[in-house]
Amino acid sequence: MATTTPTGVRGGGGRSETTSGSTSMTHPQIMKALSGLMLGMFVAILSSTIVSNALPQIISDLGGTQSSYTWVVTAALLSMTAATPLWGKLSDLFSKKLLVQISLVIYVLGSVVAGLSQNTGMLIACRVVQGIGVGGLSALAQIVMAAMISPRERGRYSGYLGAVFAVATVGGPLLGGVITDTEWLGWRWCFYVGVPFAIIALIVLQKTLRLPVVRRDVKVDWLGAFLISGAVSLLLIWVTQAGDSYEWISWQTWAMTGGAVLLGLLFVLVESRASDPIIPLRLFRKKTITLASAASLFVGIAMFSGTVFFSQFFQLARGESPTMSGVLTIPMIAGLFVSSTLSGQVITKTGKWKAWLVSGGVLLTAGLGLLGTLRYDTPYWHIAVYMALTGLGLGMMMQNLVLATQNQVAPEDLGAASSVVTFFRSLGGAMGVSALGAVMANRVTHYVQDGLAALGPEAAAMGHGGTAGGGIPDLDKLPAPFREVVESAYGHGVGDVFLYAAPFALLGLVLVLFIKEVALKSSPAAHAPAAGSAPAGSAPAGAGSEATRAPAPAVAVAATASTATTGSTAAAAADTAATTGEGARG
């Protein structure tokens, strides 16, 4: 059977059809077409993980503070959160291939300039640009794959993207640590190293990816995106600066919180009237979507707190190198990978998912609570166990919340519902990193002051051990007694961060308990043919037996995709776009 064009796709080079009129791609053809896409995904995920262990050194060299540290992470998360649904909308209007290439170019430009940063303000601005590009790469990867491969077969190829994710997630921090520790390279190469991969991905995509431009009648909700981004940004700026640049109870506090509330209300008003809103408010009439979105918000806080603050703990509380800092966090990544893979396989076989969500909530809450006991001298095997519990919990909860949502909405709402849940997870991550970073700066300064005071009046008169104003100290330049005080302060401070994150995980668990379990469907979902579709009796390519089936096979995606990326945001959106447009393409 000589076939070269994917289901529902026209315009691919060398297309031929079977006698039945259906078209498909062979496995080698699909892998060739996906090669550039997977390389682009590798670049996107690598950019998010490679700087984690280099950040303490980066902020120290640029003279930044703890607020700068968290904003380097938060800026990318915020821009990625706002940009992801917009990329999904644009994919309905313009060439998906062109959009992937544009997102790669945006990422490259942001990375090159970030590597040239002379201060933390410049670096944070570049991270915003990087986040926009990464949001496009992660969202469009799932959309392109959905346009090429039928839902029934998609789980297999989503697994390959998951493998790419796993390699980038585990290898990123290690590579970043090695680059930072290599004298003739330095931390700036953490931003440069992804550029060659991005350029290669651009070339490969140009040669291998063949997709049609299928336009739907959609309007990009620019005003809604601006309002929600503005509201969240104001809250993040307030939380980051309160208690440092101004008092918690001050006119700045009232102005920023009041402005955020006003922008939030305007956002709700705009979304209620928008023809194609970025967050359809009608979805929240469904109890499952409301609960899953709120739970994802809290899971996002827990997920990003683990990835961001562990590097500070190992480098500033235990004196480890950036390379070893990456090695020592492997238990959490391993726990996430094992639990997501295992739960995905079992859910696919049984169709039951709620027990995994509840178990994940219990493990996540327990893991964060135990991590709240961290001190600079806590035995590593204790830390490894606590990290593994946290990873196991995250693996069971993240994508299964999306899966539960997908299973209880109409096919035409799959994309919007999935985007909402993942949007709130990313939003929780951005808000959590900012708020917990502010807590971290406050607690570390407090513990340093107490520790120096305990050494005697002379020590107390010598300042804050390099942490005055939230600064990141250089441990190698501190004398032994002061170094131990600073290490103890960071150990205790990171422990406090996890302790404050644990109640949010508990809230997520409570919300999950109220989600009603509906067994995953195993029969294809019916789709009304679009205007201009094939006549009755001849199903359009990709419909009928290849129509969007229940998301049971999508568990394979959940088994391996994290959201440290938001790539799954548009996965179900692509299902809807692909299936609703297939009839018209004929």
Side-chain angles (χ1 to χ4, degrees):
M1 183 173 71
T3 56
T4 57
T5 303
T7 302
V9 169
R10 302 280 184 183
R15 179 179 64 87
S16 63
E17 300 184 2
T18 63
T19 55
S20 63
S22 63
T23 58
S24 61
M25 295 176 74
T26 64
H27 176 67
Q29 289 167 341
I30 291 175
M31 291 305 299
K32 181 180 178 181
L34 286 180
S35 56
L37 200 61
M38 289 192 288
L39 193 56
M41 276 295 294
F42 179 78
V43 168
I45 299 163
L46 191 69
S47 72
S48 302
T49 60
I50 196 171
V51 298
S52 59
N53 288 324
L55 269 181
Q57 183 67 48
I58 293 172
I59 300 302
S60 179
D61 286 355
L62 296 180
T65 65
Q66 181 67 43
S67 294
S68 304
Y69 184 101
T70 53
W71 264 103
V72 169
V73 179
T74 303
L77 279 175
L78 184 61
S79 60
M80 185 170 62
T81 301
T84 297
L86 290 177
W87 284 109
K89 297 283 188 183
L90 290 173
S91 70
D92 289 326
L93 297 170
F94 305 104
S95 164
K96 299 176 181 64
K97 175 180 175 179
L98 178 62
L99 290 174
V100 172
Q101 292 173 317
I102 290 174
S103 62
L104 277 167
V105 171
I106 292 173
Y107 164 79
V108 168
L109 292 176
S111 297
V112 170
V113 181
L116 300 173
S117 297
Q118 300 301 309
N119 53 64
T120 54
M122 182 177 177
L123 178 59
I124 290 169
C126 292
R127 291 289 285 172
V128 170
V129 176
Q130 276 189 306
I132 294 173
V134 171
L137 289 170
S138 54
L140 292 166
Q142 298 287 350
I143 292 176
V144 170
M145 189 170 65
M148 293 172 56
I149 307 166
S150 69
R152 193 178 293 271
E153 297 294 329
R154 201 171 304 149
R156 175 185 184 184
Y157 297 98
S158 296
Y160 295 132
L161 285 181
V164 170
F165 169 82
V167 172
T169 301
V170 176
L174 295 177
L175 181 59
V178 170
I179 291 173
T180 305
D181 286 337
T182 302
E183 186 175 348
W184 55 275
L185 287 175
W187 59 262
R188 294 183 187 275
W189 276 93
C190 289
F191 298 103
Y192 298 148
V193 72
V195 173
F197 292 103
I199 294 174
I200 294 172
L202 275 171
I203 297 172
V204 174
L205 281 167
Q206 184 63 34
K207 291 183 174 295
T208 63
L209 190 59
R210 297 287 185 269
L211 287 174
V213 179
V214 181
R215 294 182 174 86
R216 286 199 304 125
D217 185 17
V218 298
K219 294 181 180 179
V220 180
D221 184 17
W222 298 107
L223 181 57
F226 169 78
L227 290 173
I228 190 65
S229 299
V232 174
S233 296
L234 271 179
L235 282 178
L236 296 183
I237 294 171
W238 167 62
V239 170
T240 303
Q241 301 296 330
D244 182 13
S245 301
Y246 45 81
E247 297 298 323
W248 285 96
I249 305 299
S250 62
W251 70 266
Q252 291 96 332
T253 290
W254 293 115
M256 290 188 182
T257 55
V261 171
L262 178 60
L263 289 175
L265 293 175
L266 288 174
F267 171 74
V268 172
L269 178 63
V270 168
E271 295 303 277
S272 65
R273 299 182 177 183
S275 59
D276 203 353
I278 192 171
I279 299 181
L281 300 181
R282 61 182 173 77
L283 291 175
F284 293 103
R285 297 171 188 166
K286 291 183 177 291
K287 180 180 177 182
T288 294
I289 295 178
T290 302
L291 292 173
S293 297
S296 289
L297 183 78
F298 298 130
V299 170
I301 294 174
M303 177 175 69
F304 286 101
S305 66
T307 57
V308 170
F309 296 107
F310 270 128
S311 58
Q312 281 192 303
F313 176 79
F314 286 118
Q315 292 180 50
L316 298 177
R318 299 178 79 93
E320 300 289 354
S321 67
T323 302
M324 280 306 299
S325 179
V327 172
L328 295 173
T329 54
I330 286 179
M332 187 175 75
I333 300 299
L336 189 153
F337 183 78
V338 169
S339 68
S340 59
T341 302
L342 179 62
S343 65
Q345 291 175 345
V346 175
I347 291 173
T348 301
K349 293 179 179 178
T350 65
K352 302 290 186 179
W353 45 265
K354 184 170 181 179
W356 292 99
L357 278 178
V358 174
S359 300
V362 171
L363 290 174
L364 182 59
T365 304
L368 289 173
L370 290 170
L371 285 171
T373 66
L374 284 186
R375 301 296 180 265
Y376 79 105
D377 56 353
T378 302
Y380 175 71
W381 74 268
H382 289 183
I383 302 172
V385 171
Y386 305 160
M387 285 193 294
L389 288 175
T390 303
L392 288 169
L394 286 172
M396 293 179 189
M397 290 195 76
M398 285 191 307
Q399 291 303 317
N400 287 333
L401 282 169
V402 179
L403 181 66
T405 301
Q406 291 174 339
N407 192 52
Q408 298 190 36
V409 296
E412 61 270 18
D413 287 333
L414 277 175
S418 303
S419 297
V420 164
V421 174
T422 314
F423 174 86
F424 275 98
R425 187 175 68 213
S426 299
L427 186 61
M431 296 177 66
V433 168
S434 183
L436 293 174
V439 169
M440 174 85 169
N442 178 273
R443 301 310 295 161
V444 166
T445 301
H446 172 74
Y447 290 135
V448 167
Q449 290 175 341
D450 288 350
L452 293 178
L455 292 179
E458 293 184 2
M462 294 185 70
H464 302 278
T467 65
I472 304 294
D474 186 343
L475 295 181
D476 294 333
K477 296 180 180 179
L478 298 178
F482 295 97
R483 174 169 178 157
E484 186 173 344
V485 167
V486 172
E487 287 180 339
S488 176
Y490 270 93
H492 203 161
V494 173
D496 286 351
V497 164
F498 288 120
L499 194 60
Y500 294 144
F504 292 104
L506 180 60
L507 287 173
L509 170 60
V510 172
L511 290 170
V512 164
L513 291 173
F514 288 97
I515 297 178
K516 181 180 179 181
E517 179 168 36
V518 176
L520 295 180
K521 305 169 209 170
S522 58
S523 59
H527 290 268
S533 61
S538 65
S545 62
E546 297 296 336
T548 304
R549 66 182 295 189
V555 182
V557 190
T560 47
S562 164
T563 165
T565 80
T566 54
S568 61
T569 305
D575 288 348
T576 307
T579 52
T580 55
E582 278 165 359
R585 285 192 284 261

